[in-house]
Amino acid sequence: CSGGERIWSNTLTSFEYALLSRRCFQRSFPSLYNNSGQLLHTSSNLDAARKGTRAKAEAKKRASKKEVVKKEFIPINKRLDLHQGGPLRRQEDHLRFPIDDVWITKFYKWKVYQAIEAFEMHRETQHQTMYNNADAIIFATFELSMALDKKNKYMDYVTNMVDMPYRFASEQQRHILVITTDEEQLLTAREMGVDLAIGPEVVKMVQNGELNLNDYDYVLAQLSILPQIIPIRGLMKKKFPAPYSGTAAEDLIPIIEKYLNGVDYRSVKDKFDHDFATMQVPIGKVNMKNEELEANLATLIQNVDGQRSSKKKTDLITLAKLVCPPSVEKFKIDFQCFLQQEELAKISQTA
């Protein structure tokens, strides 16, 4: 030991020997001791932790750590759709009826007009002193409920062709293909202005690529020729003529006249709310009589309601409005009266 101390080991007890060893270690390594003569790291810190202490500390650390959620990549066109959103369904259950002469329609329930009242108001807007558009077309806009009775099941779309009782120039463009073996019907169809009237040779023309079926919106065919055009049924898909859809019959002249002069409609579903769909269909011009416009509107509403699926018991049409561009005015109308007329007519026929 340093300091010139001489100690004989055979005369020391074990306790004295331990004290002497500690003193020698302290003098040899003074930097490891503090001012009070103790090691910087005491024995209590060097002992192992209690059972479960380390596990509790790790669990607390995991709980405090924020979970990093990996973001899914969204294409730019979908991001724009999500930001924009789709058409909004009109909700009025929480709104009050207006009590003043002037009000902001967004904060109150819309007033419900009779169809004739809406026609008159649109006629005033299109008067020569305002928009000066006597040939303006009046459109019926519908909000549809596409939900079926079974949960999370919806109708795909609503579409049909309507032959209005009072025809008008709807400005709808459609391309029609007529297939028949009757020469007289072929000549009449061409005179009426269909895009193409042809016989069974259409099968080879389609198979050889000489004729593109995508160029035509509707395909009308003679009933007896249907077995001959079955080879191209897969290419026609939903355009394949059928009696139940009104696109196949022995006498094609009335069908051709309907598809040339009728009004077609197709619903547009919301991208995010599958229960919600809209459609806008022309019903006539402002210079037509109120009775003619009302008859066209009644025919359209009854036709649209007739497209309701057999698996749907609730109403298909939830809201009906009349609009007349370029005016932005829209008038909510009572459409239930036209459906009630149809029910009364059915009851009178069965009685």
Side-chain angles (χ1 to χ4, degrees), residues 114 245 346:
Q114 296 299 318
S245 63
K346 291 180 180 179

Side-chain angles (χ1 to χ4, degrees), residues 179 181 200 203 221-233 240-241 243 248 250:
I179 307 174
T181 55
V203 177
Q222 190 179 2
L223 195 60
S224 57
I225 206 176
L226 292 182
Q228 301 181 44
I229 62 174
I230 286 181
I232 57 175
R233 182 172 188 171
F240 190 82
E250 283 300 328

Side-chain angles (χ1 to χ4, degrees), residues 263-307:
V263 175
D264 59 356
Y265 60 82
R266 186 181 182 90
S267 61
V268 179
K269 290 186 70 173
D270 185 80
K271 293 182 179 180
F272 309 104
D273 185 2
H274 300 294
D275 175 33
F276 181 50
T278 58
M279 67 167 61
Q280 186 166 299
V281 192
I283 61 169
K285 296 188 175 184
V286 292
N287 55 11
M288 296 173 62
K289 296 179 180 179
N290 289 337
E291 295 78 11
E292 297 174 347
L293 292 171
E294 190 175 30
N296 286 353
L297 178 61
T299 301
L300 175 62
I301 291 175
Q302 294 167 7
N303 191 283
V304 172
D305 186 70
Q307 305 303 312

Side-chain angles (χ1 to χ4, degrees), residues 43-87:
S43 61
S44 61
N45 289 345
L46 296 175
D47 291 340
R50 292 181 181 179
K51 186 178 180 181
T53 302
R54 187 173 299 171
K56 291 179 181 178
E58 291 179 356
K60 186 177 180 181
K61 184 178 179 181
R62 286 194 301 268
S64 62
K65 188 177 181 181
K66 293 183 179 180
E67 184 180 358
V68 179
V69 180
K70 188 177 180 181
K71 293 185 178 180
E72 181 185 359
F73 174 75
I74 303 176
I76 182 63
N77 56 350
K78 190 174 181 181
R79 264 184 287 165
L80 292 173
D81 289 340
L82 289 171
H83 180 70
Q84 265 184 336

Side-chain angles (χ1 to χ4, degrees), residues 201-219:
E201 63 271 15
V202 68
V203 177
K204 289 186 177 180
M205 293 178 64
V206 172
Q207 292 174 342
N208 295 336
E210 301 175 14
L211 183 65
N212 188 1
L213 293 174
N214 293 327
D215 296 337
Y216 302 94
D217 300 310
Y218 298 97
V219 180

Side-chain angles (χ1 to χ4, degrees), residues 130-186:
M130 297 183 69
Y131 281 105
N132 191 23
N133 189 4
D135 290 332
I137 297 178
I138 299 177
F139 293 85
T141 303
F142 301 107
E143 290 186 3
L144 308 177
S145 172
M146 307 296 283
L148 299 176
D149 296 334
K150 194 172 181 180
K151 188 177 180 181
N152 295 331
K153 296 293 182 181
Y154 309 96
M155 297 175 60
D156 291 333
Y157 53 85
V158 177
T159 181
N160 201 9
M161 176 72 66
V162 187
D163 191 11
M164 295 292 190
Y166 296 95
R167 293 175 177 171
F168 62 98
S170 63
E171 299 181 1
Q172 291 183 342
Q173 300 293 329
R174 62 183 70 97
H175 303 284
I176 301 174
L177 170 63
V178 176
I179 307 174
T180 179
T181 55
D182 191 330
E183 293 294 335
E184 185 177 350
Q185 292 190 23
L186 284 173

Side-chain angles (χ1 to χ4, degrees), residues 6-17:
R6 299 176 65 189
I7 299 175
W8 301 100
S9 59
N10 56 355
T11 63
L12 297 176
T13 63
S14 59
F15 177 73
E16 292 173 339
Y17 184 78

